């Protein structure tokens, strides 16, 4: 499936001022160091294309949630340093994203120069999709490229407002790859098509489950959200994570899946803990025997085998959400074991960003996946079949 929007390879960048909205919202550790630079690396083909076309390359992004004020800890300065190393080329860092300092930097820049602007969200106009802020950003550019898939589900000045004020706009290579990988997989899967959904909450993913239920052959549910389904079936779940207002919806989803002859897998056993403290006692029990007062923290070994077998004959696998509290060693085995099963299946494997990407990385299976999305919330919204404002605002492809 092809993206129907104009893409970077369909516009002439030569010697132009090209403003690229990237997603450099990278994780930082306690010392302010970048702990994972995949989002920067993922934008390199688009940045390099603009450099190769002798454009003046102006990059803008948000980082974290400064909420419209300047927060030095969320400066993009460390990203400029990392980008310098990755591009093997100096990066001019400007400590604002609008105003005279940016105007001067753009005026003085030569063809092929790369400028990185400071965090867009230091200005309240960014998240408000403010007209004036949008037009100020647009004033630096002859062409605008949206490469920020991770924020394409938001209507912000740098993703939506700006498109009204620029002469020409297009999607970058990463944006194209993301949309084609996620949407293309759901619309046109090679079967059997298996969706694996996990993570904390049913409410965050019910839209995806509903949208996928008509399209997949199998659904596997794990993680905290499984306990809402298990409770909906009438079992005791102790103090496991549950959304009581989702019980009816969970039951309906199970019934709908049965009626549509979709194979629906829930954990058959789990690792439970007697408290949430690091020294908690843990044990493995079947889901029929979760003791009152205990917490379900991971899927158990029988579920690992069951899910492993269920994915074995898959030709397409879409995975979003960990099977347990994988951040803690004691509850990471289910997620990591499933990562190995998914990697070993002879299937096209698509991983929907955020926590799942991190879990796959920790399991050492990143290289085995066909595609790992850089967008968490954005990937979910696309999988729900929902409107993506950042994408909708771009002009249609002329072809
Ligand atoms: P999400 O953002 O909805 O994909 O949720 C990811 C989070 O779900 C991770 O931080 C996990 O620790 C958490 N999670 C997974 N399984 C459980 C569980 N059984 N109980 C509580 N939290 C869980």
């Amino acid at each position: 499936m092809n993206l129907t929007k104009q893409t970077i390879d369909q516009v002439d960048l030569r010697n132009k001022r090209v403003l690229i909205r990237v997603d450099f919202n990278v994780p930082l550790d306690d010392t302010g160091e970048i702990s994972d630079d995949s989002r920067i690396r993922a934008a390199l083909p688009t940045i390099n294309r603009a450099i190769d076309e002798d454009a003046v390359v102006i990059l803008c992004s948000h980082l974290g949630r400064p909420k419209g004020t300047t927060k030095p800890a969320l400066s993009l300065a460390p990203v400029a340093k990392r980008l310098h190393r990755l591009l093997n080329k100096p990066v001019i860092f400007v400590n604002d994203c609008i105003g005279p300092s940016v105007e001067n930097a753009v005026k003085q820049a030569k063809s092929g120069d790369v400028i990185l602007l400071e965090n867009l969200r230091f200005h309240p106009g960014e998240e408000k999709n403010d007209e004036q802020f949008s037009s100020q950003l647009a004033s630096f550019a002859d062409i605008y490229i949206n490469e920020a898939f991770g924020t394409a589900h938001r209507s912000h000045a740098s993703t939506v407002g700006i498109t009204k004020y620029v002469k020409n706009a297009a999607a970058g290579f990463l944006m194209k790859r993301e949309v084609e990988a996620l949407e293309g997989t759901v619309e046109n899967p090679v079967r059997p098509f298996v969706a694996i959904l996990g993570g904390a909450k049913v409410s965050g993913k019910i839209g995806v489950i509903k949208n996928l239920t008509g399209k997949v052959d199998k659904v596997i549910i794990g993680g905290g959200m499984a306990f809402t389904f298990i409770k909906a079936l009438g079992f005791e779940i102790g103090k496991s994570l549950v959304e009581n207002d989702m019980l009816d919806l969970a039951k309906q989803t199970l019934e709908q899946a049965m009626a549509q002859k979709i194979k629906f897998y829930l954990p058959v056993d789990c690792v439970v803990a007697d408290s949430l403290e690091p020294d908690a006692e843990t044990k493995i029990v079947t889901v029929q025997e979760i003791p009152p007062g205990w917490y379900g923290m991971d899927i158990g070994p029988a579920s690992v085998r069951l899910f492993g077998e269920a994915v074995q004959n898959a030709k397409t696998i879409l995975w979003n959400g960990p099977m347990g509290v994988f951040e803690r060693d004691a509850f990471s085995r289910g997620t990591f074991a499933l990562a190995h099963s998914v990697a070993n299946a002879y299937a096209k494997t698509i991983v929907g960003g955020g926590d799942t990407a991190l879990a796959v990385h920790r399991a050492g299976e990143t290289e085995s996946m066909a595609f790992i999305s850089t967008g968490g919330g954005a990937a979910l919204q696309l999988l729900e079949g929902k409107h993506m404002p950042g994408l909708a605002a771009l002009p249609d492809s002329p072809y």
Side-chain angles (χ1 to χ4, degrees), residues 2-180:
N2 291 327
L3 180 63
T4 56
K5 295 293 174 179
Q6 179 158 267
T7 48
I8 184 168
D9 46 338
Q10 296 168 346
V11 290
D12 181 15
L13 305 179
R14 186 142 287 274
N15 293 314
K16 302 270 188 349
R17 296 173 308 158
V18 179
L19 180 75
I20 309 176
R21 177 30 161 128
V22 282
D23 178 9
F24 286 170
N25 184 28
V26 290
L28 302 171
D29 67 18
D30 300 342
T31 64
E33 286 289 313
I34 298 168
S35 51
D36 177 4
D37 63 6
S38 355
R39 284 184 165 173
I40 309 176
R41 289 172 190 273
L44 293 179
T46 285
I47 299 170
N48 280 324
R49 164 65 69 104
I51 296 171
D52 290 347
E53 292 293 321
D54 287 322
V56 169
V57 187
I58 309 152
L59 306 173
C60 61
S61 175
H62 76 282
L63 176 62
R65 297 198 168 115
K67 303 218 161 89
T69 56
T70 301
K71 291 229 167 81
L74 295 175
S75 168
L76 280 162
V79 174
K81 260 171 78 181
R82 181 65 59 95
L83 185 62
H84 178 165
R85 216 164 73 211
L86 292 171
L87 288 172
N88 198 17
K89 176 181 180 59
V91 172
I92 303 157
F93 181 68
V94 185
N95 60 8
D96 205 345
C97 59
I98 50 168
S101 52
V102 184
E103 266 162 45
N104 284 337
V106 174
K107 229 182 256 163
Q108 281 166 22
K110 296 182 293 299
S111 292
D113 279 355
V114 178
I115 299 171
L116 174 62
L117 308 183
E118 183 56 288
N119 196 337
L120 291 160
R121 291 192 190 167
F122 284 177
H123 287 266
E126 164 63 358
E127 287 181 271
K128 289 192 182 131
N129 196 15
D130 177 73
E131 298 278 329
Q132 209 185 347
F133 185 76
S134 303
S135 80
Q136 278 176 299
L137 271 182
S139 69
F140 309 124
D142 301 312
I143 295 182
Y144 162 75
I145 303 290
N146 191 346
E147 180 69 325
F149 175 73
T151 38
H153 60 314
R154 307 258 181 243
S155 280
H156 292 168
S158 68
T159 58
V160 173
I162 189 170
T163 57
K164 273 210 274 180
Y165 298 97
V166 284
K167 288 185 226 78
N168 206 355
F173 291 123
L174 175 66
M175 180 74 95
K176 179 175 156 73
R177 251 163 44 90
E178 289 272 8
V179 176
E180 290 183 353

Side-chain angles (χ1 to χ4, degrees), residues 198-201 205 223-224 227 241 296-298 320-327 355:
K201 289 188 168 173
K205 296 201 178 136
F227 296 101
L241 206 64
M297 302 293 273
D298 192 11
N320 191 301
M323 296 292 103
V325 184
F326 75 100
E327 297 91 340
D355 281 317

